[in-house]
């Protein structure tokens, strides 16, 4: 059975992360779709998720009076990550498939332009650029299926990140594991 503090904090932070992610997506959507391909926005968002994870695990460890085995630390992070990803993915599915499906096409074109620009900066041969563009044109990264696939990848990546975070935040005494 999962400790009530771990469950409560995981759910609370998961909902907060999901809402935060949805608000960021909505804000970028409302301001300028070009921001979806901006590297600094990605760095800012990743930094924010890191801070949220640190706050979540610090708060939970404190509420557990410092007794925070690795498994509980990982479970706390995992619950929050899965809930946040599911909320965010649901929002993206609704936004890009029901509210404004045309935005998917615009984002696809922006992604293609960005990819061409980046590949040219790195001196990629034209044949490789053409091949990459052909693959991008075949895909619909904002389709329901692709968004769901992306959420699975996000859960896997978050799990790996959660393992690292749990290792840092676990209790130091080996007798508590």
């Amino acid at each position: 059975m999962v400790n009530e503090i771990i469950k409560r904090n995981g759910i609370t932070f998961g909902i907060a992360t999901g809402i935060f992610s949805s608000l960021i997506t909505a804000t970028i959507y409302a301001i300028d779709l070009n921001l979806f391909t901006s590297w600094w926005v990605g760095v800012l968002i990743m930094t924010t998720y890191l801070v949220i994870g640190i706050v979540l695990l610090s708060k939970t460890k404190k509420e557990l009076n410092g007794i925070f085995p690795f498994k509980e630390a990982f479970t706390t992070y995992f619950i929050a990550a899965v809930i946040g990803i599911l909320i965010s993915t649901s929002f993206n599915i609704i936004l890009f498939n029901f509210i404004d499906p045309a935005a998917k096409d615009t984002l696809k074109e922006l992604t293609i332009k960005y990819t061409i620009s980046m590949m040219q900066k790195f001196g990629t041969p034209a044949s490789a650029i053409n091949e990459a563009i052909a693959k991008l044109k075949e895909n619909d990264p904002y389709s329901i299926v692709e968004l769901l696939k992306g959420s699975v990848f996000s859960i896997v990546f978050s799990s790996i990140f959660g393992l690292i975070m749990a290792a840092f935040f676990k209790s130091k005494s080996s007798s508590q594991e």
Side-chain angles (χ1 to χ4, degrees), residues 16-35:
T17 302
I19 291 171
F20 169 77
S21 180
S22 298
L23 288 173
I24 291 296
T25 299
T27 302
I28 292 171
Y29 170 81
I31 293 174
D32 183 4
L33 291 177
N34 284 299
L35 292 174

Side-chain angles (χ1 to χ4, degrees), residues 108-109 112 130-143 146 149:
K108 184 187 252 185
E109 288 304 315
I112 290 170
N130 292 336
E131 184 179 322
I133 300 311
K135 285 181 183 177
L136 285 172
K137 286 183 178 180
E138 290 175 13
N139 292 331
D140 181 4
Y142 292 95
S143 71
E146 290 300 318
K149 281 186 199 174

Side-chain angles (χ1 to χ4, degrees), residues 49-70:
Y49 289 142
L50 174 66
V51 170
I52 291 170
I54 290 169
V55 171
L56 164 64
L57 294 178
S58 296
K59 179 181 190 304
T60 306
K61 185 174 184 176
K62 183 178 178 186
E63 289 178 11
L64 293 171
N65 299 317
I67 301 171
F68 205 28
F70 178 82

Side-chain angles (χ1 to χ4, degrees), residues 3-170:
N3 180 306
E4 282 303 311
I5 293 170
I6 290 169
K7 189 168 29 171
R8 184 189 69 233
N9 286 351
I11 292 169
T12 302
F13 276 78
I15 291 170
T17 302
I19 291 171
F20 169 77
S21 180
S22 298
L23 288 173
I24 291 296
T25 299
T27 302
I28 292 171
Y29 170 81
I31 293 174
D32 183 4
L33 291 177
N34 284 299
L35 292 174
F36 280 109
T37 60
S38 179
W39 67 270
W40 63 269
V41 170
V43 170
L44 185 64
I45 290 170
M46 292 305 291
T47 302
T48 304
Y49 289 142
L50 174 66
V51 170
I52 291 170
I54 290 169
V55 171
L56 164 64
L57 294 178
S58 296
K59 179 181 190 304
T60 306
K61 185 174 184 176
K62 183 178 178 186
E63 289 178 11
L64 293 171
N65 299 317
I67 301 171
F68 205 28
F70 178 82
K71 180 182 175 189
E72 280 74 11
F74 175 74
T75 301
T76 306
Y77 188 87
F78 185 77
I79 291 169
V82 168
I83 291 171
I85 290 165
L86 292 177
I87 291 170
S88 176
T89 301
S90 299
F91 179 79
N92 288 343
I93 287 171
I94 292 167
L95 176 62
F96 295 115
N97 290 280
F98 299 106
I99 295 173
D100 189 4
K104 292 192 300 185
D105 297 328
T106 304
L107 284 172
K108 184 187 252 185
E109 288 304 315
L110 291 172
T111 302
I112 290 170
K113 288 179 186 175
Y114 178 77
T115 302
I116 291 170
S117 170
M118 290 306 293
M119 291 178 91
Q120 287 174 339
K121 284 182 185 175
F122 288 109
T124 307
S127 61
I129 293 174
N130 292 336
E131 184 179 322
I133 300 311
K135 285 181 183 177
L136 285 172
K137 286 183 178 180
E138 290 175 13
N139 292 331
D140 181 4
Y142 292 95
S143 71
I144 294 171
V145 171
E146 290 300 318
L147 286 170
L148 290 173
K149 281 186 199 174
S151 69
V152 171
F153 173 77
S154 294
I155 289 170
V156 170
F157 177 77
S158 292
S159 296
I160 294 167
F161 189 70
L163 291 169
I164 295 166
M165 295 283 285
F168 280 110
F169 282 91
K170 71 177 181 167

